[in-house]
Amino acid sequence: MHIYYKDFRPQIKLRSKNIYGEMAVFMLKKIMAVFICCALIVPIVAMADTAEILSENITTEYLSDDLLEPYSDASVEAETVLELNAKSAVLMEKSTGRVLYEQNPHERLAPASITKIMSLLLIMEAIESGKITIDDTVSASEHAVSMGGSQIWLEVGETMTVNELLKAVAIGSANDATVALGEYIAGSEEAFVNMMNERAAQLGMENTHFVNCTGLDAENHYTSAYDVALMSRELIGHDLIKQYSSVWMDSLREGETQLVNTNKLVRFYEGATGLKTGTTDEAGYCLSATAERDDMELIAVVMGSDSGNNRFNSARKLLDHGFANYVKVSPAVDMSEIPAVKVTGGVESLVPINEVNAEPVLITKGKEKSITAKIELPESIEAPISAGQQIGTVSIMQDDEMLAQIPITAAKDIGKMTFTNALWLLIQKLFGV
């Protein structure tokens, strides 16, 4: 396996090697040898083949901008320890899933209404799959109406559309609306919670177990900051959710019921897109905050703050840290300089390569010159080769850290050399056919 390195300034340059003349001689010798052997023995060759508590209800207190610590765009060292008022915290970049900052990321804690991130994810997936639509009408059950904490005060038998109930959940953190939607999708809250736990397992949320879909305090109901970041990342992959989670104020029942977003960063933080708050006696003040700037989307999770303002300020510090210290770049790969790869035992001597397209990668600001490309290709590859078959890799590195790995693939099928192929090629060579 040959490995090539090259600096990234500003585009990746890959070493090349002129082997075409060498391969022509190599293949001619091989064809002659095959022909002579076949003439002697004449073989026959076969083809080879949350619960928001009442202190943070729909009509919760407004948070003025002067209560939040001021935003600073000044870059700080990426290794800086942030002073966060939280038991647990995680900062994650959405496209890569890379954790940029963490504090007790895997500690199991009561999540309060950030539980609803998973509820909203299942609702988004049900809409996307066509199981339900936003125009469907949902009738409130007695169980849904019985929910305490934050709510829109549904009455038994009252009907609302999925769209209206989504507003109530994403903007106002309404427990009754969450249960009504869960029952509509799964038949009962219990069945919906089973779906939530199954989806958590699929996402690799190893420190999570849900007992309800609202986040009301309950025994054995827990998650971690890292797991919250995982499900938040999955949720914001559905653009539809941002049409709800980024709204500051709205209303239901023809204006009779006012909704105010429990996430104050939606109003006061540049680029904020959501996502979900949570407050209970056991959980304290929790938040999963998402924001996007310059094509980079960040997820800041704060669990166990001692006040609403402290959770918002802690999330803001995390987001500021990410935007100040990291940037996404798109490496350019010069295809003309990728080394050619020999084919052994094939009807062609070289394998053509598909275009190598590098996805944007996340790097530390100021360290662009430390980006290198490591190209791994074999000296040769044996036929048969299928179009799209991976034959090597391009690894984008920052110092010793791999940021991305891109496959190098064959652009066409190359069959295995057979007696018939060899004979025909020799005839073409000798007689110019």
Side-chain angles (χ1 to χ4, degrees):
M1 184 71 71
H2 278 195
I3 300 177
Y4 306 82
Y5 291 88
K6 193 66 180 176
D7 289 340
F8 175 74
R9 301 194 186 104
Q11 77 172 20
I12 298 170
K13 300 273 188 187
L14 309 179
R15 282 177 51 188
S16 63
K17 189 176 178 183
N18 186 3
I19 63 171
Y20 293 93
E22 175 188 336
M23 287 306 303
V25 174
F26 172 82
M27 287 305 300
L28 182 58
K29 288 181 179 179
K30 182 169 181 177
I31 292 169
M32 291 299 295
V34 171
F35 180 78
I36 293 171
C37 290
C38 293
L40 293 173
I41 61 177
V42 194
I44 299 176
V45 183
M47 292 300 291
D49 248 49
T50 265
E52 310 291 333
I53 59 174
L54 291 178
S55 64
E56 188 169 305
N57 212 319
I58 301 298
T59 55
T60 187
E61 77 285 350
Y62 287 84
L63 183 70
S64 60
D65 196 26
D66 58 4
L67 294 178
L68 291 172
E69 295 177 4
Y71 166 70
S72 173
D73 199 33
S75 180
V76 294
E77 290 298 322
E79 294 78 13
T80 297
V81 176
L82 302 178
E83 293 184 6
L84 305 176
N85 183 289
K87 293 180 180 178
S88 179
V90 162
L91 175 66
M92 179 181 286
E93 195 276 322
K94 184 247 183 182
S95 66
T96 61
R98 180 178 169 188
V99 174
L100 308 181
Y101 192 89
E102 60 183 27
Q103 175 181 306
N104 301 325
H106 303 296
E107 183 178 356
R108 293 180 176 182
L109 297 169
S113 271
I114 54 176
T115 295
K116 294 186 178 82
I117 293 170
M118 180 59 77
S119 301
L120 287 166
L121 173 59
L122 294 184
I123 295 165
M124 290 297 108
E125 291 176 342
I127 293 171
E128 188 173 276
S129 68
K131 184 175 183 178
I132 66 174
T133 74
I134 62 173
D135 296 320
D136 288 354
T137 300
V138 179
S139 178
S141 70
E142 185 173 350
H143 177 61
V145 171
S146 71
M147 294 297 110
S150 193
Q151 57 186 304
I152 54 169
W153 306 281
L154 287 170
E155 296 182 359
V156 177
E158 183 178 3
T159 59
M160 283 192 177
T161 64
V162 169
N163 176 58
E164 291 171 319
L165 292 172
L166 265 173
K167 289 181 183 181
V169 177
I171 301 172
S173 194
N175 295 325
D176 48 1
T178 306
V179 174
L181 284 169
E183 291 176 334
Y184 184 64
I185 291 171
S188 68
E189 183 184 10
E190 182 180 4
F192 189 69
V193 171
N194 288 337
M195 291 174 60
M196 292 169 65
N197 284 317
E198 289 173 4
R199 195 70 179 95
Q202 292 170 3
L203 293 175
M205 296 167 60
E206 298 179 355
N207 293 293
T208 295
H209 184 263
F210 298 117
V211 174
N212 57 59
C213 64
T214 59
L216 287 165
D217 289 336
E219 185 178 355
N220 210 32
H221 186 92
Y222 57 81
T223 188
S224 68
Y226 178 74
D227 286 0
V228 172
L230 288 180
M231 63 179 177
S232 298
R233 181 190 180 204
E234 194 73 13
L235 177 57
I236 60 176
H238 300 270
D239 290 336
L240 177 61
I241 189 59
K242 296 174 188 176
Q243 296 181 25
Y244 299 91
S245 63
S246 63
V247 174
W248 172 237
M249 297 182 70
D250 208 322
S251 64
L252 299 170
R253 300 182 177 109
E254 298 182 348
E256 292 182 7
T257 301
Q258 297 298 312
L259 300 175
V260 179
N261 203 318
T262 56
N263 179 10
K264 310 312 170 191
L265 295 186
V266 167
R267 181 181 182 188
F268 297 116
Y269 193 82
E270 179 190 350
T273 57
L275 187 61
K276 191 70 199 72
T277 60
T279 307
T280 64
D281 291 337
E282 184 178 347
Y285 294 83
C286 306
L287 173 65
S288 178
T290 55
E292 185 172 11
R293 296 179 190 170
D294 300 323
D295 296 322
M296 182 170 71
E297 195 161 7
L298 299 179
I299 303 159
V301 179
V302 174
M303 299 185 70
S305 286
D306 60 15
S307 74
N309 283 347
N310 281 334
R311 74 167 161 202
F312 292 124
N313 284 322
S314 294
R316 189 168 190 167
K317 285 180 182 180
L318 287 167
L319 294 172
D320 286 353
H321 175 78
F323 288 123
N325 287 282
Y326 297 91
V327 64
K328 290 176 74 174
V329 298
S330 298
V333 180
D334 188 346
M335 291 299 299
S336 67
E337 298 189 7
I338 292 184
V341 179
K342 302 177 184 179
V343 178
T344 59
V347 296
E348 296 187 33
S349 60
L350 299 172
V351 55
I353 304 299
N354 282 317
E355 189 79 20
V356 176
N357 296 311
E359 294 293 327
V361 295
L362 188 71
I363 66 172
T364 305
K365 284 184 179 179
K367 292 190 176 181
E368 288 82 353
K369 292 184 179 180
S370 68
I371 304 301
T372 58
K374 182 175 73 172
I375 297 87
E376 296 182 76
L377 285 169
E379 288 187 342
S380 63
I381 184 169
E382 186 174 353
I385 300 169
S386 301
Q389 178 180 330
Q390 182 172 342
I391 59 175
T393 59
V394 177
S395 298
I396 308 300
M397 311 289 294
Q398 183 178 29
D399 298 324
D400 295 327
E401 181 182 3
M402 181 186 296
L403 303 178
Q405 192 170 65
I406 312 151
I408 300 174
T409 58
K412 62 181 292 187
D413 293 333
I414 297 180
K416 190 176 180 65
M417 180 66 73
T418 66
F419 171 71
T420 303
N421 296 141
L423 180 59
W424 176 243
L425 288 172
L426 182 60
I427 292 172
Q428 288 180 309
K429 186 71 176 179
L430 293 176
F431 300 102
V433 176

